[in-house]
Amino acid sequence: MKHENAIHRLKNVEGHIRGIERMLDEEAYCIDVIRQIQAAQAALNKVTSIILEEHLNSCLTTAVRGEDPMERERVLKEIADVFDAANKV
Amino acid sequence: MKHENAIHRLKNVEGHIRGIERMLDEEAYCIDVIRQIQAAQAALNKVTSIILEEHLNSCLTTAVRGEDPMERERVLKEIADVFDAANKV
Amino acid sequence: MKHENAIHRLKNVEGHIRGIERMLDEEAYCIDVIRQIQAAQAALNKVTSIILEEHLNSCLTTAVRGEDPMERERVLKEIADVFDAANKV
Amino acid sequence: MKHENAIHRLKNVEGHIRGIERMLDEEAYCIDVIRQIQAAQAALNKVTSIILEEHLNSCLTTAVRGEDPMERERVLKEIADVFDAANKV
């Protein structure tokens, strides 16, 4: 299955977040909770890396090697956009 | 219940991530998946903000107003540490 | 001149940072200093966006459309790498 | 002199940025330029850490230990605000 690794990692993040809910429920120390949220975000960064790499090597490569200049421009613009968005989360 | 708002938001993030798994399963466009991951991370930032604010107004205030200089130093150091970690996710 | 816009913006950031040094010298309020540093970092993000966009539309497009698979792989790997690094600053 | 370390580091960042302008001027490879910008941003993060730590141990401690509840609230709110802003650069 395609994306198997990414899906597996997302399932882990889901479990991680359920664990953080439990920590809050059991009134764990706030700073420990924040550290766990930051760890979940780092795990999500890793998923983004995996998907981006797949995208660069498939869709983006196809579009850039293709003969439609607008399609080429569109996929390159998307990379620039997700890069900007990455700087804001 | 304390932390009700934060727990509610985490449950939403959990659902969001399950939705992203489904997107991958159904071979959604990679860039759309990445955007959803970034949105989930932004939602987690918001949870961190809420918990940090509670922490500053309770534990941190108590420790800083208390008479144990080592405890005071410890809580202030923790704030500096989570701030540094925030710059790395 | 190529990169004129980026160079102009970097010169502004330089001036901005000199201003921050002056603020520290004159014992400005720490939080105001931190806000100015964050503004300088946001201005640097903008410079990165501009340079990345130029790169995607020139070097990367040439390499991906070229016939050397290793060169193609190399430029795509670089994009993935700067994306990962962006998540860490 | 107070803040000597922070000012020294800012002067280094200034020089770093001048070097990046030169790289652009001499048409250095875009990805190398972006990596240098990211390094300058990481150096600015370090300056923020230093100033934040000073602030926590001086102004913030004074305000939180003081008897003015509005002032206390104000300094705690500022910490929450710069934390949120840090997540957006």
mmCIF file of all heavy atoms in Angstrom, chain A residues 36-83:
data_model
loop_
_atom_site.group_PDB
_atom_site.id
_atom_site.type_symbol
_atom_site.label_atom_id
_atom_site.label_comp_id
_atom_site.label_asym_id
_atom_site.label_seq_id
_atom_site.Cartn_x
_atom_site.Cartn_y
_atom_site.Cartn_z
ATOM 1 N N GLN A 36 4.934 16.994 25.566
ATOM 2 C CA GLN A 36 4.353 15.908 24.765
ATOM 3 C C GLN A 36 3.682 16.453 23.512
ATOM 4 O O GLN A 36 3.741 15.838 22.448
ATOM 5 C CB GLN A 36 3.347 15.091 25.600
ATOM 6 C CG GLN A 36 4.007 14.255 26.687
ATOM 7 C CD GLN A 36 5.124 13.373 26.147
ATOM 8 O OE1 GLN A 36 4.984 12.742 25.112
ATOM 9 N NE2 GLN A 36 6.259 13.339 26.839
ATOM 10 N N ILE A 37 3.030 17.624 23.620
ATOM 11 C CA ILE A 37 2.421 18.229 22.423
ATOM 12 C C ILE A 37 3.522 18.572 21.415
ATOM 13 O O ILE A 37 3.382 18.324 20.211
ATOM 14 C CB ILE A 37 1.607 19.499 22.796
ATOM 15 C CG1 ILE A 37 0.398 19.105 23.659
ATOM 16 C CG2 ILE A 37 1.153 20.250 21.543
ATOM 17 C CD1 ILE A 37 -0.401 20.293 24.181
ATOM 18 N N GLN A 38 4.638 19.114 21.907
ATOM 19 C CA GLN A 38 5.745 19.452 21.003
ATOM 20 C C GLN A 38 6.301 18.195 20.335
ATOM 21 O O GLN A 38 6.660 18.209 19.150
ATOM 22 C CB GLN A 38 6.839 20.214 21.765
ATOM 23 C CG GLN A 38 6.374 21.620 22.186
ATOM 24 C CD GLN A 38 7.359 22.365 23.069
ATOM 25 O OE1 GLN A 38 8.138 21.758 23.813
ATOM 26 N NE2 GLN A 38 7.329 23.694 23.004
ATOM 27 N N ALA A 39 6.342 17.075 21.080
ATOM 28 C CA ALA A 39 6.824 15.821 20.494
ATOM 29 C C ALA A 39 5.864 15.337 19.404
ATOM 30 O O ALA A 39 6.301 14.855 18.345
ATOM 31 C CB ALA A 39 6.981 14.755 21.582
ATOM 32 N N ALA A 40 4.552 15.502 19.644
ATOM 33 C CA ALA A 40 3.563 15.100 18.630
ATOM 34 C C ALA A 40 3.719 15.965 17.373
ATOM 35 O O ALA A 40 3.619 15.468 16.246
ATOM 36 C CB ALA A 40 2.141 15.226 19.193
ATOM 37 N N GLN A 41 3.996 17.260 17.570
ATOM 38 C CA GLN A 41 4.196 18.144 16.417
ATOM 39 C C GLN A 41 5.444 17.756 15.628
ATOM 40 O O GLN A 41 5.454 17.801 14.398
ATOM 41 C CB GLN A 41 4.291 19.604 16.884
ATOM 42 C CG GLN A 41 2.941 20.152 17.344
ATOM 43 C CD GLN A 41 3.050 21.552 17.907
ATOM 44 O OE1 GLN A 41 3.876 21.793 18.798
ATOM 45 N NE2 GLN A 41 2.242 22.464 17.419
ATOM 46 N N ALA A 42 6.487 17.376 16.339
ATOM 47 C CA ALA A 42 7.714 16.940 15.651
ATOM 48 C C ALA A 42 7.435 15.668 14.850
ATOM 49 O O ALA A 42 7.924 15.508 13.722
ATOM 50 C CB ALA A 42 8.837 16.712 16.661
ATOM 51 N N ALA A 43 6.610 14.768 15.408
ATOM 52 C CA ALA A 43 6.248 13.542 14.682
ATOM 53 C C ALA A 43 5.451 13.898 13.426
ATOM 54 O O ALA A 43 5.614 13.261 12.376
ATOM 55 C CB ALA A 43 5.450 12.609 15.591
ATOM 56 N N LEU A 44 4.595 14.913 13.520
ATOM 57 C CA LEU A 44 3.837 15.349 12.337
ATOM 58 C C LEU A 44 4.768 15.965 11.291
ATOM 59 O O LEU A 44 4.569 15.772 10.089
ATOM 60 C CB LEU A 44 2.737 16.343 12.740
ATOM 61 C CG LEU A 44 1.560 15.742 13.514
ATOM 62 C CD1 LEU A 44 0.617 16.832 14.000
ATOM 63 C CD2 LEU A 44 0.779 14.737 12.645
ATOM 64 N N ASN A 45 5.787 16.692 11.732
ATOM 65 C CA ASN A 45 6.791 17.216 10.790
ATOM 66 C C ASN A 45 7.403 16.082 9.984
ATOM 67 O O ASN A 45 7.639 16.211 8.781
ATOM 68 C CB ASN A 45 7.933 17.926 11.526
ATOM 69 C CG ASN A 45 7.613 19.375 11.856
ATOM 70 O OD1 ASN A 45 6.677 19.948 11.296
ATOM 71 N ND2 ASN A 45 8.371 19.951 12.769
ATOM 72 N N LYS A 46 7.682 14.991 10.667
ATOM 73 C CA LYS A 46 8.299 13.845 9.999
ATOM 74 C C LYS A 46 7.349 13.269 8.936
ATOM 75 O O LYS A 46 7.790 12.919 7.834
ATOM 76 C CB LYS A 46 8.661 12.794 11.058
ATOM 77 C CG LYS A 46 9.384 11.578 10.545
ATOM 78 C CD LYS A 46 10.760 11.903 9.971
ATOM 79 C CE LYS A 46 11.304 10.707 9.187
ATOM 80 N NZ LYS A 46 12.339 11.105 8.234
ATOM 81 N N VAL A 47 6.057 13.209 9.252
ATOM 82 C CA VAL A 47 5.082 12.721 8.267
ATOM 83 C C VAL A 47 5.057 13.650 7.052
ATOM 84 O O VAL A 47 5.051 13.190 5.905
ATOM 85 C CB VAL A 47 3.661 12.600 8.888
ATOM 86 C CG1 VAL A 47 2.668 12.104 7.840
ATOM 87 C CG2 VAL A 47 3.665 11.662 10.083
ATOM 88 N N THR A 48 5.067 14.960 7.321
ATOM 89 C CA THR A 48 5.095 15.919 6.214
ATOM 90 C C THR A 48 6.319 15.688 5.329
ATOM 91 O O THR A 48 6.209 15.696 4.095
ATOM 92 C CB THR A 48 5.108 17.359 6.764
ATOM 93 O OG1 THR A 48 3.886 17.580 7.466
ATOM 94 C CG2 THR A 48 5.206 18.388 5.644
ATOM 95 N N SER A 49 7.485 15.471 5.944
ATOM 96 C CA SER A 49 8.711 15.211 5.168
ATOM 97 C C SER A 49 8.542 14.019 4.239
ATOM 98 O O SER A 49 8.937 14.060 3.078
ATOM 99 C CB SER A 49 9.885 14.876 6.095
ATOM 100 O OG SER A 49 10.210 15.979 6.868
ATOM 101 N N ILE A 50 7.963 12.949 4.785
ATOM 102 C CA ILE A 50 7.791 11.716 3.995
ATOM 103 C C ILE A 50 6.876 11.974 2.801
ATOM 104 O O ILE A 50 7.183 11.596 1.667
ATOM 105 C CB ILE A 50 7.210 10.592 4.892
ATOM 106 C CG1 ILE A 50 8.264 10.162 5.924
ATOM 107 C CG2 ILE A 50 6.748 9.409 4.059
ATOM 108 C CD1 ILE A 50 7.707 9.262 7.020
ATOM 109 N N ILE A 51 5.757 12.652 3.069
ATOM 110 C CA ILE A 51 4.785 12.895 1.992
ATOM 111 C C ILE A 51 5.367 13.871 0.971
ATOM 112 O O ILE A 51 5.189 13.710 -0.242
ATOM 113 C CB ILE A 51 3.460 13.426 2.586
ATOM 114 C CG1 ILE A 51 2.840 12.332 3.464
ATOM 115 C CG2 ILE A 51 2.492 13.843 1.483
ATOM 116 C CD1 ILE A 51 1.639 12.786 4.257
ATOM 117 N N LEU A 52 6.083 14.882 1.459
ATOM 118 C CA LEU A 52 6.683 15.845 0.534
ATOM 119 C C LEU A 52 7.683 15.148 -0.383
ATOM 120 O O LEU A 52 7.712 15.408 -1.593
ATOM 121 C CB LEU A 52 7.396 16.957 1.319
ATOM 122 C CG LEU A 52 8.045 18.043 0.461
ATOM 123 C CD1 LEU A 52 7.005 18.847 -0.300
ATOM 124 C CD2 LEU A 52 8.892 18.990 1.320
ATOM 125 N N GLU A 53 8.472 14.268 0.188
ATOM 126 C CA GLU A 53 9.472 13.575 -0.631
ATOM 127 C C GLU A 53 8.792 12.726 -1.714
ATOM 128 O O GLU A 53 9.219 12.741 -2.874
ATOM 129 C CB GLU A 53 10.368 12.712 0.259
ATOM 130 C CG GLU A 53 11.792 12.662 -0.271
ATOM 131 C CD GLU A 53 12.710 11.876 0.640
ATOM 132 O OE1 GLU A 53 12.677 12.130 1.868
ATOM 133 O OE2 GLU A 53 13.437 11.003 0.126
ATOM 134 N N GLU A 54 7.731 12.025 -1.331
ATOM 135 C CA GLU A 54 6.978 11.246 -2.321
ATOM 136 C C GLU A 54 6.444 12.168 -3.419
ATOM 137 O O GLU A 54 6.518 11.852 -4.608
ATOM 138 C CB GLU A 54 5.806 10.510 -1.650
ATOM 139 C CG GLU A 54 6.240 9.370 -0.724
ATOM 140 C CD GLU A 54 5.078 8.741 0.044
ATOM 141 O OE1 GLU A 54 3.936 9.273 -0.035
ATOM 142 O OE2 GLU A 54 5.306 7.741 0.732
ATOM 143 N N HIS A 55 5.902 13.288 -2.998
ATOM 144 C CA HIS A 55 5.315 14.241 -3.947
ATOM 145 C C HIS A 55 6.368 14.788 -4.921
ATOM 146 O O HIS A 55 6.128 14.857 -6.131
ATOM 147 C CB HIS A 55 4.680 15.389 -3.170
ATOM 148 C CG HIS A 55 4.127 16.472 -4.038
ATOM 149 N ND1 HIS A 55 3.027 16.290 -4.847
ATOM 150 C CD2 HIS A 55 4.536 17.752 -4.257
ATOM 151 C CE1 HIS A 55 2.772 17.415 -5.503
ATOM 152 N NE2 HIS A 55 3.676 18.315 -5.162
ATOM 153 N N LEU A 56 7.528 15.149 -4.383
ATOM 154 C CA LEU A 56 8.583 15.710 -5.239
ATOM 155 C C LEU A 56 8.997 14.689 -6.297
ATOM 156 O O LEU A 56 9.196 15.036 -7.464
ATOM 157 C CB LEU A 56 9.804 16.107 -4.391
ATOM 158 C CG LEU A 56 9.620 17.292 -3.431
ATOM 159 C CD1 LEU A 56 10.821 17.398 -2.488
ATOM 160 C CD2 LEU A 56 9.428 18.610 -4.178
ATOM 161 N N ASN A 57 9.107 13.431 -5.878
ATOM 162 C CA ASN A 57 9.577 12.396 -6.801
ATOM 163 C C ASN A 57 8.506 11.858 -7.733
ATOM 164 O O ASN A 57 8.815 11.098 -8.640
ATOM 165 C CB ASN A 57 10.184 11.236 -6.000
ATOM 166 C CG ASN A 57 11.503 11.651 -5.373
ATOM 167 O OD1 ASN A 57 12.428 12.040 -6.071
ATOM 168 N ND2 ASN A 57 11.583 11.602 -4.053
ATOM 169 N N SER A 58 7.244 12.208 -7.491
ATOM 170 C CA SER A 58 6.192 11.712 -8.390
ATOM 171 C C SER A 58 5.499 12.886 -9.085
ATOM 172 O O SER A 58 5.947 13.339 -10.137
ATOM 173 C CB SER A 58 5.207 10.831 -7.618
ATOM 174 O OG SER A 58 4.677 11.540 -6.513
ATOM 175 N N CYS A 59 4.442 13.409 -8.487
ATOM 176 C CA CYS A 59 3.636 14.472 -9.120
ATOM 177 C C CYS A 59 4.484 15.640 -9.606
ATOM 178 O O CYS A 59 4.343 16.091 -10.744
ATOM 179 C CB CYS A 59 2.617 15.051 -8.140
ATOM 180 S SG CYS A 59 1.595 13.831 -7.346
ATOM 181 N N LEU A 60 5.348 16.162 -8.724
ATOM 182 C CA LEU A 60 6.106 17.341 -9.119
ATOM 183 C C LEU A 60 7.019 17.025 -10.294
ATOM 184 O O LEU A 60 7.087 17.785 -11.266
ATOM 185 C CB LEU A 60 6.923 17.899 -7.949
ATOM 186 C CG LEU A 60 7.739 19.141 -8.331
ATOM 187 C CD1 LEU A 60 7.470 20.309 -7.411
ATOM 188 C CD2 LEU A 60 9.221 18.850 -8.412
ATOM 189 N N THR A 61 7.709 15.907 -10.233
ATOM 190 C CA THR A 61 8.606 15.549 -11.329
ATOM 191 C C THR A 61 7.827 15.401 -12.633
ATOM 192 O O THR A 61 8.245 15.924 -13.685
ATOM 193 C CB THR A 61 9.366 14.242 -10.988
ATOM 194 O OG1 THR A 61 10.169 14.492 -9.830
ATOM 195 C CG2 THR A 61 10.256 13.791 -12.128
ATOM 196 N N THR A 62 6.683 14.730 -12.576
ATOM 197 C CA THR A 62 5.857 14.557 -13.781
ATOM 198 C C THR A 62 5.446 15.909 -14.355
ATOM 199 O O THR A 62 5.571 16.140 -15.568
ATOM 200 C CB THR A 62 4.582 13.736 -13.438
ATOM 201 O OG1 THR A 62 4.999 12.513 -12.840
ATOM 202 C CG2 THR A 62 3.755 13.463 -14.687
ATOM 203 N N ALA A 63 4.971 16.801 -13.482
ATOM 204 C CA ALA A 63 4.489 18.102 -13.960
ATOM 205 C C ALA A 63 5.632 18.931 -14.543
ATOM 206 O O ALA A 63 5.493 19.548 -15.601
ATOM 207 C CB ALA A 63 3.805 18.860 -12.829
ATOM 208 N N VAL A 64 6.773 18.926 -13.852
ATOM 209 C CA VAL A 64 7.883 19.766 -14.319
ATOM 210 C C VAL A 64 8.459 19.210 -15.630
ATOM 211 O O VAL A 64 8.881 19.975 -16.501
ATOM 212 C CB VAL A 64 8.977 19.907 -13.234
ATOM 213 C CG1 VAL A 64 10.210 20.624 -13.775
ATOM 214 C CG2 VAL A 64 8.430 20.657 -12.023
ATOM 215 N N ARG A 65 8.442 17.905 -15.777
ATOM 216 C CA ARG A 65 8.938 17.311 -17.026
ATOM 217 C C ARG A 65 7.889 17.362 -18.134
ATOM 218 O O ARG A 65 8.205 17.134 -19.298
ATOM 219 C CB ARG A 65 9.382 15.851 -16.794
ATOM 220 C CG ARG A 65 10.666 15.763 -15.974
ATOM 221 C CD ARG A 65 11.101 14.335 -15.723
ATOM 222 N NE ARG A 65 11.561 13.640 -16.903
ATOM 223 C CZ ARG A 65 12.770 13.765 -17.439
ATOM 224 N NH1 ARG A 65 13.654 14.565 -16.869
ATOM 225 N NH2 ARG A 65 13.101 13.089 -18.514
ATOM 226 N N GLY A 66 6.643 17.662 -17.769
ATOM 227 C CA GLY A 66 5.566 17.724 -18.752
ATOM 228 C C GLY A 66 5.637 18.992 -19.597
ATOM 229 O O GLY A 66 6.511 19.843 -19.383
ATOM 230 N N GLU A 67 4.695 19.100 -20.523
ATOM 231 C CA GLU A 67 4.781 20.208 -21.482
ATOM 232 C C GLU A 67 3.763 21.309 -21.225
ATOM 233 O O GLU A 67 3.611 22.216 -22.035
ATOM 234 C CB GLU A 67 4.661 19.656 -22.911
ATOM 235 C CG GLU A 67 5.820 18.757 -23.330
ATOM 236 C CD GLU A 67 7.200 19.358 -22.993
ATOM 237 O OE1 GLU A 67 7.385 20.584 -23.144
ATOM 238 O OE2 GLU A 67 8.083 18.587 -22.546
ATOM 239 N N ASP A 68 3.083 21.244 -20.081
ATOM 240 C CA ASP A 68 2.090 22.272 -19.781
ATOM 241 C C ASP A 68 2.704 23.304 -18.825
ATOM 242 O O ASP A 68 2.847 23.039 -17.628
ATOM 243 C CB ASP A 68 0.864 21.603 -19.144
ATOM 244 C CG ASP A 68 -0.226 22.605 -18.785
ATOM 245 O OD1 ASP A 68 0.041 23.818 -18.810
ATOM 246 O OD2 ASP A 68 -1.336 22.159 -18.470
ATOM 247 N N PRO A 69 3.073 24.479 -19.335
ATOM 248 C CA PRO A 69 3.771 25.467 -18.487
ATOM 249 C C PRO A 69 2.931 25.927 -17.301
ATOM 250 O O PRO A 69 3.479 26.211 -16.230
ATOM 251 C CB PRO A 69 4.072 26.635 -19.430
ATOM 252 C CG PRO A 69 3.378 26.349 -20.704
ATOM 253 C CD PRO A 69 2.898 24.946 -20.717
ATOM 254 N N MET A 70 1.600 25.968 -17.467
ATOM 255 C CA MET A 70 0.776 26.422 -16.353
ATOM 256 C C MET A 70 0.733 25.389 -15.236
ATOM 257 O O MET A 70 0.722 25.727 -14.050
ATOM 258 C CB MET A 70 -0.629 26.766 -16.818
ATOM 259 C CG MET A 70 -0.651 28.150 -17.469
ATOM 260 S SD MET A 70 -2.283 28.612 -18.015
ATOM 261 C CE MET A 70 -3.188 28.633 -16.464
ATOM 262 N N GLU A 71 0.679 24.130 -15.632
ATOM 263 C CA GLU A 71 0.685 23.045 -14.651
ATOM 264 C C GLU A 71 2.016 23.047 -13.886
ATOM 265 O O GLU A 71 2.064 22.895 -12.665
ATOM 266 C CB GLU A 71 0.479 21.699 -15.371
ATOM 267 C CG GLU A 71 0.594 20.470 -14.506
ATOM 268 C CD GLU A 71 -0.474 20.363 -13.439
ATOM 269 O OE1 GLU A 71 -1.368 21.224 -13.400
ATOM 270 O OE2 GLU A 71 -0.382 19.431 -12.619
ATOM 271 N N ARG A 72 3.100 23.248 -14.640
ATOM 272 C CA ARG A 72 4.445 23.316 -14.051
ATOM 273 C C ARG A 72 4.498 24.445 -13.010
ATOM 274 O O ARG A 72 4.939 24.266 -11.877
ATOM 275 C CB ARG A 72 5.438 23.616 -15.178
ATOM 276 C CG ARG A 72 6.810 23.058 -14.980
ATOM 277 C CD ARG A 72 7.736 23.516 -16.100
ATOM 278 N NE ARG A 72 7.300 23.039 -17.405
ATOM 279 C CZ ARG A 72 7.679 23.579 -18.569
ATOM 280 N NH1 ARG A 72 8.510 24.617 -18.570
ATOM 281 N NH2 ARG A 72 7.235 23.102 -19.701
ATOM 282 N N GLU A 73 4.019 25.601 -13.429
ATOM 283 C CA GLU A 73 4.018 26.759 -12.532
ATOM 284 C C GLU A 73 3.185 26.482 -11.279
ATOM 285 O O GLU A 73 3.570 26.834 -10.172
ATOM 286 C CB GLU A 73 3.421 27.951 -13.301
ATOM 287 C CG GLU A 73 3.786 29.290 -12.739
ATOM 288 C CD GLU A 73 3.139 30.403 -13.546
ATOM 289 O OE1 GLU A 73 3.331 30.447 -14.791
ATOM 290 O OE2 GLU A 73 2.442 31.221 -12.924
ATOM 291 N N ARG A 74 2.057 25.813 -11.496
ATOM 292 C CA ARG A 74 1.152 25.530 -10.379
ATOM 293 C C ARG A 74 1.838 24.660 -9.315
ATOM 294 O O ARG A 74 1.813 24.980 -8.122
ATOM 295 C CB ARG A 74 -0.103 24.819 -10.899
ATOM 296 C CG ARG A 74 -1.283 24.809 -9.905
ATOM 297 C CD ARG A 74 -2.453 23.999 -10.465
ATOM 298 N NE ARG A 74 -2.076 22.617 -10.725
ATOM 299 C CZ ARG A 74 -1.913 21.684 -9.786
ATOM 300 N NH1 ARG A 74 -2.086 21.978 -8.510
ATOM 301 N NH2 ARG A 74 -1.557 20.450 -10.111
ATOM 302 N N VAL A 75 2.491 23.573 -9.752
ATOM 303 C CA VAL A 75 3.106 22.676 -8.756
ATOM 304 C C VAL A 75 4.288 23.347 -8.049
ATOM 305 O O VAL A 75 4.528 23.092 -6.865
ATOM 306 C CB VAL A 75 3.568 21.311 -9.348
ATOM 307 C CG1 VAL A 75 2.380 20.514 -9.893
ATOM 308 C CG2 VAL A 75 4.639 21.472 -10.381
ATOM 309 N N LEU A 76 5.009 24.199 -8.778
ATOM 310 C CA LEU A 76 6.148 24.879 -8.139
ATOM 311 C C LEU A 76 5.630 25.894 -7.125
ATOM 312 O O LEU A 76 6.196 26.051 -6.034
ATOM 313 C CB LEU A 76 7.039 25.536 -9.187
ATOM 314 C CG LEU A 76 7.753 24.540 -10.118
ATOM 315 C CD1 LEU A 76 8.493 25.287 -11.219
ATOM 316 C CD2 LEU A 76 8.723 23.646 -9.342
ATOM 317 N N LYS A 77 4.554 26.587 -7.482
ATOM 318 C CA LYS A 77 3.935 27.552 -6.575
ATOM 319 C C LYS A 77 3.466 26.854 -5.290
ATOM 320 O O LYS A 77 3.619 27.394 -4.192
ATOM 321 C CB LYS A 77 2.767 28.227 -7.307
ATOM 322 C CG LYS A 77 2.025 29.284 -6.541
ATOM 323 C CD LYS A 77 2.816 30.583 -6.501
ATOM 324 C CE LYS A 77 1.987 31.728 -5.915
ATOM 325 N NZ LYS A 77 1.476 31.422 -4.572
ATOM 326 N N GLU A 78 2.928 25.661 -5.429
ATOM 327 C CA GLU A 78 2.459 24.911 -4.258
ATOM 328 C C GLU A 78 3.601 24.613 -3.286
ATOM 329 O O GLU A 78 3.423 24.671 -2.074
ATOM 330 C CB GLU A 78 1.843 23.575 -4.686
ATOM 331 C CG GLU A 78 0.411 23.670 -5.154
ATOM 332 C CD GLU A 78 -0.088 22.328 -5.684
ATOM 333 O OE1 GLU A 78 0.745 21.403 -5.884
ATOM 334 O OE2 GLU A 78 -1.285 22.212 -5.921
ATOM 335 N N ILE A 79 4.763 24.256 -3.846
ATOM 336 C CA ILE A 79 5.923 23.974 -2.980
ATOM 337 C C ILE A 79 6.294 25.235 -2.207
ATOM 338 O O ILE A 79 6.498 25.192 -0.980
ATOM 339 C CB ILE A 79 7.130 23.482 -3.814
ATOM 340 C CG1 ILE A 79 6.804 22.166 -4.530
ATOM 341 C CG2 ILE A 79 8.385 23.316 -2.935
ATOM 342 C CD1 ILE A 79 6.444 21.021 -3.617
ATOM 343 N N ALA A 80 6.358 26.359 -2.919
ATOM 344 C CA ALA A 80 6.678 27.634 -2.259
ATOM 345 C C ALA A 80 5.646 27.931 -1.157
ATOM 346 O O ALA A 80 5.998 28.369 -0.059
ATOM 347 C CB ALA A 80 6.735 28.761 -3.285
ATOM 348 N N ASP A 81 4.385 27.633 -1.436
ATOM 349 C CA ASP A 81 3.317 27.925 -0.467
ATOM 350 C C ASP A 81 3.402 27.041 0.790
ATOM 351 O O ASP A 81 3.247 27.549 1.899
ATOM 352 C CB ASP A 81 1.935 27.742 -1.115
ATOM 353 C CG ASP A 81 1.604 28.861 -2.084
ATOM 354 O OD1 ASP A 81 2.329 29.882 -2.095
ATOM 355 O OD2 ASP A 81 0.633 28.727 -2.849
ATOM 356 N N VAL A 82 3.605 25.739 0.603
ATOM 357 C CA VAL A 82 3.676 24.901 1.811
ATOM 358 C C VAL A 82 4.941 25.233 2.615
ATOM 359 O O VAL A 82 4.956 25.099 3.838
ATOM 360 C CB VAL A 82 3.610 23.364 1.548
ATOM 361 C CG1 VAL A 82 2.238 22.963 1.002
ATOM 362 C CG2 VAL A 82 4.715 22.869 0.680
ATOM 363 N N PHE A 83 5.972 25.674 1.917
ATOM 364 C CA PHE A 83 7.191 26.099 2.603
ATOM 365 C C PHE A 83 6.888 27.327 3.483
ATOM 366 O O PHE A 83 7.266 27.362 4.661
ATOM 367 C CB PHE A 83 8.269 26.430 1.573
ATOM 368 C CG PHE A 83 9.638 26.582 2.146
ATOM 369 C CD1 PHE A 83 10.473 25.480 2.270
ATOM 370 C CD2 PHE A 83 10.115 27.808 2.561
ATOM 371 C CE1 PHE A 83 11.742 25.604 2.811
ATOM 372 C CE2 PHE A 83 11.374 27.943 3.103
ATOM 373 C CZ PHE A 83 12.197 26.844 3.217
#
